[in-house]
Amino acid sequence: MKKQVLFLMSLVLGGHASVCAAAPPTPLNPGKALDAINMTLVHDVVAPPVAARYYAYTTLGAYAIVSTHNKSLPAPTRFITGYTTDLRLDTVKGKYDYQIAAYYSMLESARLLLPSGENLAGEEEEFVRGLEKQGVKPAVLAQSVRVGKLAAKAAVAFSKADRYNRLSALKRYTPLKAEGAWYPTPPAYIEAVEPNWKTIRPLMIDSAAQFRPAPMVPFSKDTTSAFHKQVVAVYNVAKHLTDEQLQIAQFWDCNPFAVNTSGHMSIGFKKISPGGHWMNIGALVAQQKKVGFDRTVLVLAMEGITLMDAFISCWEAKYATNRIRPETYINRFIDVKWQPLLQTPPFPEYTSGHAVVSNAVAEMLTYLLGDNIAYLDNTEIPFGSGERAFTSFRQAAGEASVSRFYGGIHYMESVNNGNEQGRQIGRYLVTKLRNAGVKPLASR
């Protein structure tokens, strides 16, 4: 597959260390492997919680290799529940470069896991050819690729025990017709996405229900009720969006597959998922801060884990509460012709997935890379939304969260309580990582 430099991360990261072999002249950037994984996920139209799972496992093998050779980074067995997989490095007799192996492992894990992963075989071949042209010895390169494959195989083997392969055998979801319950929304009326996601084994949190959000206000059609007032707030803000609010909503849309209709024709538009957007932010800022290859792999792996656990927690709450979306309520009881700015996602409303995962990841990135870091987020350029500047990860998380209110697809209660749910998850994961021995990268 031809490389698509869509995220403007062509600058390389810091020094490239080696094991028993001379390092290639050009330092490796894990963000470029992430580019290829991102575009494959966009191509496959992967649902947000599923994409988060893929990010966790495609970076796990790379981190396992790096932590084996960089003793300042703890092994994943120190913080991932039940992770005991052996990379079988004792079977590797020849010299190899562990950073080449880690980079290759990201591509190979994605090749094995993603629906159209075989498209990444060309990316792997191009990566190897590039190293050959740079003068990496054939024997060293061959052994490095072998180590990368061993790590990918181990990560995939570990992933198979998380119950993902059992989802299709579980009871299908049937929408309830109760007045306050979620129901499929126009224009495509897509069925509920991953209603049994709570059954997936988390990586660091104890259970899907460990971080239940605060109780939501009860459904009501009474025009004086707290719930009705929340609905009216969504209805009114959509009518009076400022240019800034409009840009914020569109920038953080991150809908993997939006359907637009024109007459009898429906047109689908693919975008990066919320998790992919945040993974790109982590890679971008790690490059900006020049933390180096090993620590960039740490950042990406911890982002993937955080995303996976945050989505498990959020999805448990969504289907436990099964709350009606603003679009459904407004069309039924206020204005039959009203449409939100953004397409309503096909799953229950409470809590906001953007709020939960953005705040969880922001806590992790703030711990690893620091607070009050100014950066320019160019993730959405390929998808038509330009760039936005931020002064911290937490500021970006706040903007991502409120974007769902501006877009007309979440009540502010879901945004606010989702923010807190995400912060609790992020702080919990940070504490576990700190206890495992990972210090803030800025302090090194």
Side-chain angles (χ1 to χ4, degrees):
M1 185 178 71
K2 293 183 178 179
K3 289 194 174 183
Q4 303 180 61
V5 187
L6 295 179
F7 301 105
L8 304 184
M9 296 192 296
S10 59
L11 295 178
V12 296
L13 295 171
H16 178 97
S18 63
V19 172
C20 305
T26 304
L28 296 178
N29 175 5
K32 297 184 73 175
L34 177 66
D35 285 350
I37 295 169
N38 274 335
M39 295 315 300
T40 305
L41 286 167
V42 169
H43 170 273
D44 289 344
V45 192
V46 177
V50 184
R53 176 181 180 268
Y54 287 141
Y55 286 122
Y57 292 127
T58 56
T59 54
L60 180 56
Y63 181 75
I65 293 172
V66 168
S67 65
T68 297
H69 294 280
N70 186 333
K71 298 306 179 184
S72 69
L73 302 179
T77 53
R78 297 277 301 278
F79 51 83
I80 297 179
T81 304
Y83 184 79
T84 57
T85 305
D86 184 1
L87 299 186
R88 300 303 307 277
L89 295 182
D90 59 314
T91 66
V92 181
K93 304 302 181 183
K95 296 178 180 179
Y96 68 91
D97 185 292
Y98 78 86
Q99 293 184 351
I100 292 176
Y103 188 107
Y104 192 92
S105 174
M106 289 179 64
L107 297 176
E108 179 68 3
S109 298
R111 186 186 72 81
L112 296 172
L113 286 167
L114 272 53
S116 62
E118 280 304 319
N119 291 337
L120 289 167
E123 190 78 20
E124 292 178 337
E125 293 170 3
E126 186 175 345
F127 173 62
V128 171
R129 284 196 299 269
L131 293 173
E132 290 173 341
K133 291 179 181 179
Q134 292 180 41
V136 178
K137 294 180 179 179
V140 171
L141 184 53
Q143 289 295 333
S144 301
V145 168
R146 182 180 175 220
V147 171
K149 288 183 176 181
L150 286 173
K153 182 179 180 181
V156 171
F158 179 63
S159 76
K160 289 182 177 178
D162 72 359
R163 295 183 286 273
Y164 178 73
N165 59 0
R166 302 180 192 175
L167 290 178
S168 60
L170 298 179
K171 184 178 179 180
R172 294 179 64 86
Y173 182 82
T174 301
L176 301 176
K177 293 187 178 180
E179 285 188 328
W182 174 82
Y183 206 77
T185 49
Y189 297 93
I190 299 172
E191 65 179 355
V193 168
E194 301 299 346
N196 297 303
W197 200 251
K198 68 179 182 180
T199 65
I200 298 295
R201 174 196 62 193
L203 295 178
M204 287 177 65
I205 63 175
D206 297 331
S207 71
Q210 183 180 359
F211 294 96
R212 274 281 183 92
M216 59 187 189
V217 299
F219 171 84
S220 177
K221 293 185 293 182
D222 185 340
T223 57
T224 65
S225 68
F227 186 80
H228 186 84
K229 291 177 181 178
Q230 286 198 83
V231 179
V232 171
V234 175
Y235 182 68
N236 287 337
V237 76
K239 291 183 175 181
H240 306 288
L241 288 174
T242 66
D243 289 342
E244 175 74 358
Q245 290 170 335
L246 180 65
Q247 291 172 16
I248 289 171
Q250 292 174 335
F251 183 80
W252 292 102
D253 184 16
C254 300
N255 187 342
F257 191 67
V259 179
N260 286 355
T261 58
S262 177
H264 296 290
M265 182 172 61
S266 295
I267 304 172
F269 293 91
K270 299 180 182 181
K271 293 185 179 182
I272 197 168
S273 71
H277 191 142
W278 277 103
M279 290 293 291
N280 190 63
I281 289 173
L284 184 153
V285 177
Q287 177 180 319
Q288 176 180 308
K289 289 183 66 68
K290 297 181 172 61
V291 301
F293 182 94
D294 293 7
R295 296 170 187 171
T296 300
V297 170
L298 167 67
V299 169
L300 296 181
M302 289 313 305
E303 272 197 287
I305 291 169
T306 302
L307 286 167
M308 181 170 169
D309 280 6
F311 269 111
I312 291 172
S313 180
C314 181
W315 250 239
E316 193 278 337
K318 281 184 177 296
Y319 286 96
T321 55
N322 198 28
R323 183 153 77 172
I324 189 172
R325 287 279 182 169
E327 182 172 15
T328 306
Y329 186 103
I330 293 170
N331 288 164
R332 286 179 183 174
F333 306 119
I334 298 177
D335 182 350
V336 71
K337 295 183 179 181
W338 184 85
Q339 292 180 322
L341 173 67
L342 302 180
Q343 183 174 308
T344 300
F347 37 82
E349 193 271 341
Y350 189 78
T351 49
S352 163
H354 266 54
V356 175
V357 302
S358 295
N359 281 274
V361 172
E363 291 302 305
M364 179 58 67
L365 291 179
T366 297
Y367 176 72
L368 291 174
L369 295 172
D371 199 1
N372 300 318
I373 295 175
Y375 65 92
L376 188 64
D377 184 356
N378 52 40
T379 304
E380 296 295 326
I381 287 178
F383 309 106
S385 295
E387 301 175 319
R388 288 192 67 80
F390 299 99
T391 58
S392 72
F393 300 118
R394 288 171 175 147
Q395 184 218 353
E399 184 176 289
S401 302
V402 77
S403 74
R404 315 311 274 170
F405 175 67
Y406 297 153
I409 59 178
H410 274 297
Y411 314 111
M412 274 306 299
E413 179 187 42
S414 188
V415 171
N416 292 334
N417 291 352
N419 288 345
E420 183 56 28
Q421 184 183 5
R423 284 191 289 265
Q424 289 181 12
I425 295 168
R427 290 165 185 166
Y428 178 83
L429 299 186
V430 165
T431 298
K432 292 194 75 170
L433 199 63
R434 183 191 298 115
N435 292 342
V438 174
K439 298 178 181 179
L441 302 186
S443 69
R444 293 172 181 248

